[in-house]
Amino acid sequence: MNILFVGYASPHVRRPLRALLEAGHRVCMGTLRGDPMGGRSHPGYTCIPLPDGLQHTEEFILKMLSIKKTFKPDILHVHYADFRVWQCSLLDVAPMVVSVWGSDINLLVELDEQGKPTPTSIYDPCVEEGMRKAAACIVDDPAMQQKVDF
């Protein structure tokens, strides 16, 4: 399977990348701020820098469409739910899966005294729009599910 990742250089990304590569999948990492694999080579791995920032959405889309033509992804996997989820949701690249880290959703949604999810002061509706278009969302803590559903 060809998997197009979009994310940061982080151990949260490095672990699933390694697991996918060891399972024989091909992975193209659309990176924001560095290579999560730290420059380590693998025959099924490619790392491509992407334009970073909401103000670079047009360039981001053009770069992603270029990657689509050459890599032909089966899945688009976005790590970290921020404006990049929205940017990726604008593309017809592949079904989009989002991995939530917790720190991303916790910045946007909190639980009130009754345990009901409510937006924070920095809630970003473009993240909600992007998340609604995801084929699936992966959470590592069941407590995150209620906030993601919100």
Side-chain angles (χ1 to χ4, degrees):
M1 182 177 287
N2 289 350
I3 303 164
L4 174 55
F5 266 61
V6 173
Y8 301 101
S10 162
H12 297 297
V13 174
R14 187 177 315 115
R15 285 188 298 269
L17 283 177
R18 273 194 246 153
L20 290 168
L21 291 167
E22 289 170 8
H25 298 287
R26 291 182 55 222
V27 179
C28 178
M29 179 70 210
T31 185
L32 307 154
R33 306 178 204 141
D35 181 355
M37 296 295 282
R40 290 184 202 100
S41 65
H42 186 283
Y45 180 69
T46 306
C47 185
I48 299 172
L50 293 173
D52 191 12
L54 194 54
Q55 70 277 17
H56 298 291
T57 297
E58 187 175 336
E59 296 95 330
F60 177 90
I61 289 171
L62 291 172
K63 186 71 170 187
M64 290 288 285
L65 291 174
S66 171
I67 293 169
K68 175 186 176 179
K69 283 183 184 177
T70 58
F71 185 65
K72 298 181 179 31
D74 298 303
I75 300 258
L76 169 59
H77 195 156
V78 184
H79 272 259
Y80 201 80
D82 63 5
F83 68 87
R84 277 165 277 284
V85 170
W86 173 76
Q87 286 176 321
C88 288
S89 77
L90 300 173
L91 301 163
D92 182 23
V93 172
M96 181 174 68
V97 174
V98 178
S99 282
V100 170
W101 295 1
S103 56
D104 45 9
I105 296 300
N106 287 331
L107 289 173
L108 303 174
V109 180
E110 59 192 1
L111 300 178
D112 67 14
E113 286 132 16
Q114 289 78 37
K116 180 182 172 196
T118 58
T120 66
S121 61
I122 61 167
Y123 182 81
D124 188 347
C126 82
V127 177
E128 178 182 350
E129 183 181 333
M131 295 285 286
R132 288 185 186 281
K133 294 179 182 177
C137 182
I138 299 170
V139 296
D140 65 352
D141 180 353
M144 287 293 103
Q145 192 62 53
Q146 184 180 16
K147 292 180 178 183
V148 168
D149 290 345
F150 174 79

